[in-house]
Amino acid sequence: MTDYSFSFKNNVRLIGRLDIKGENLIKGIHLEGLRVIGPPNEYAHKYYLQGVDELIYMDCVASLYRRNHLANIISSAAENIFVPLTVGGGIRSVDDANKILRAGADKVAINTAAVENPQLISDISRKFGSQCMVLSVEAKQISDNKWEVFTNNGREKTGLDVVEWIKKCIDLGVGEILLTSVDREGTRKGFDNLLVRNVTEESSVPVIASGGMGSPEDIFKVINEGGASAIAMADILHYGRSNINEIRNFAMQSGFGVREYSVE
Amino acid sequence: MNEIVVIDYGVGNLLSVKRGLEHCGAKVKITSKPKDIINASKVILPGVGAFKNAMKSLNRLGLIDVIKEISNREINLLGICLGMQLLLDESDEFGVTKGLGLIPGRVVAIPSKNKDGISNKIPHIGWSNLINSEGNAYWDQGILKKVKPGDSSYFIHSYMALTNEKKYTIAYCMYGSEKIPAVVQSNRIIGCQFHPEKSGKVGLNILREFCES
């Protein structure tokens, strides 16, 4: 008989994050100063072939201007990309969520609209299942061991404490947390491991750490010390400073479990 | 290749299942008509969300007896994710709810703590390696034919489908110290807990095998 009493290492998810403005893939620093990179699905498909575990599309101006171009991009991505797609930005109602899910998204990520109307979280998770409802949190450090929730791409303060807000949203039916450090985002200084640790200690649902990955080595601390279930990568992939394969190999050498994948 | 019928009962990302099947060269019909389902040779029961709601929807559409009848015919049925769980006798989710009873077993919550006291994040989300259940010969004969033990597929679920007898569980995966059934099968009735349509090449090979079987 095989012995299953050991605690098995769950595979870490390596997620590509695509920030979108209009029809373009863009990248900023601290979620601002946006620079155009190129057509999002060209990058998405490249990452898919490299064996990315999931993709997150974030429309970064949708909340601000209350518009959303993402459905077309998602619909065409879902034609030849067979990994889970999470979509966020500008989803303000159950109907918005339904539209983007029908376009081919598997999960929706919500930040601004959830802060304005927390009931939206329960409405979406009741209608589509909590596995579908990702809470997107933009966190800025305000003092030692304290982070505040921001909305509209890190522009607006909410006065909410990150950990308290996340606990409340889990009670409302959130199935996963996308945790973005606004301080680290686009800086290549590494993840905010302390922020991630504070959240994963209190969260009963998986946490995706986002913001600041400068090199493959950065994943070591965010998983070991931060306790992240998944990491989201943008800049490092878009500018070709590394690629999924190299990052996966580094993760394996560091003793983490990753998805079995061979590049053809 | 035969037409694949995907049952539409108002839950799940049907578009992704359809695109995955079409990528494998299949013709796909999405339907909730009993006649289409019972005359098909291959049927897929997709689904995400809650067990109770799904059974209610199937009931409202008059599909419960239709799906049960499938097992008496020469029809291959593949349940995906919640669609797999529905194949069992009953589920604990939000109070005990009767399932389709096509594979003996019950659906229970994934424990939020491991045996060693370490907590599991729930839902189980991610790519987990498929492990061959001991002594089960189905692996090489069924939808896993082109899959190597150890290949990963994408899971997202909070409940798991435990079969009464080992022989019905073809493959499982580990989540923490939990052994989670990944593929269950009884004759022509098959279920997979993961999403083959979201599991890259490995998943597409599984769908292709189902289409060509």
Side-chain angles (χ1 to χ4, degrees), chain A residues 4 11 82 106 200 203 260, chain B residues 121-122 127 152 172 176 198 200:
Chain A
Y4 301 115
N11 290 346
F82 299 100
D106 300 283
T200 56
S203 171
E260 195 65 38
Chain B
K121 303 285 186 202
I122 307 288
W127 295 74
S152 325
Y172 64 92
K198 290 288 161 184

Side-chain angles (χ1 to χ4, degrees), chain B residues 63-167:
Chain B
L63 292 178
I64 291 182
D65 289 336
V66 175
I67 298 171
K68 285 183 176 170
E69 176 60 19
I70 284 177
S71 61
N72 299 322
R73 304 204 179 198
E74 299 277 289
I75 301 173
N76 293 351
L77 173 67
L78 174 64
I80 296 175
C81 197
L82 178 64
M84 171 240 215
Q85 300 182 352
L86 296 173
L87 301 175
L88 275 68
D89 296 320
E90 58 183 17
S91 167
D92 283 349
E93 194 176 348
F94 304 123
V96 177
T97 307
K98 263 196 154 352
L100 294 164
L102 297 175
I103 296 180
R106 60 182 294 127
V107 180
V108 302
I110 302 171
S112 57
K113 272 214 176 10
N114 277 337
K115 294 172 188 96
D116 48 16
I118 297 168
S119 53
N120 288 323
K121 303 285 186 202
I122 307 288
H124 164 219
I125 305 180
W127 295 74
S128 297
N129 305 352
L130 300 177
I131 304 168
N132 199 342
S133 293
E134 274 167 82
N136 206 311
Y138 267 127
W139 185 297
D140 299 323
Q141 296 161 17
I143 55 169
L144 294 174
K145 203 188 272 176
K146 293 202 182 93
V147 177
K148 295 190 304 292
D151 280 351
S152 325
S153 55
Y154 179 77
F155 291 77
I156 178 161
H157 62 125
S158 304
Y159 285 75
M160 57 182 176
L162 301 179
T163 59
N164 285 356
E165 288 177 62
K166 256 173 137 182
K167 66 173 179 184

Side-chain angles (χ1 to χ4, degrees), chain A residues 106-213:
Chain A
D106 300 283
K107 317 179 210 179
V108 292
I110 300 184
N111 174 20
T112 307
V115 170
E116 287 171 5
N117 170 27
Q119 174 70 28
L120 181 61
I121 294 170
S122 3
D123 291 347
I124 289 178
S125 69
R126 209 170 298 141
K127 174 111 181 161
F128 307 106
S130 62
Q131 82 291 330
C132 207
M133 176 61 231
V134 180
L135 179 72
S136 168
V137 178
E138 291 160 9
K140 260 189 203 175
Q141 188 156 22
I142 48 170
S143 65
D144 284 355
N145 263 354
K146 270 248 175 272
W147 290 263
E148 183 178 341
V149 175
F150 276 67
T151 58
N152 285 313
N153 247 40
R155 287 181 202 95
E156 275 172 50
K157 290 164 79 75
T158 63
L160 294 166
D161 175 72
V162 164
V163 174
E164 293 309 314
W165 169 240
I166 285 171
K167 278 158 70 176
K168 178 180 172 181
C169 292
I170 291 171
D171 289 341
L172 289 172
V174 154
E176 196 174 9
I177 312 286
L178 170 63
L179 179 63
T180 305
S181 160
V182 179
D183 304 309
R184 296 301 176 96
E185 204 281 329
T187 65
R188 307 178 184 176
K189 287 180 182 162
F191 296 93
D192 187 342
N193 302 315
L194 197 60
L195 163 68
V196 177
R197 172 92 251 162
N198 270 267
V199 170
T200 56
E201 271 178 354
E202 295 292 332
S203 171
S204 61
V205 305
V207 175
I208 305 165
S210 179
M213 180 148 165

Side-chain angles (χ1 to χ4, degrees), chain A residues 19-21 26-29 31-36 60-61 153 155 185:
Chain A
D19 292 290
I20 310 288
K21 183 182 181 185
I26 55 95
K27 191 67 201 92
I29 296 175
L31 298 173
E32 288 192 306
L34 310 178
R35 197 176 132 185
V36 173
C60 57
V61 289
N153 247 40
R155 287 181 202 95
E185 204 281 329

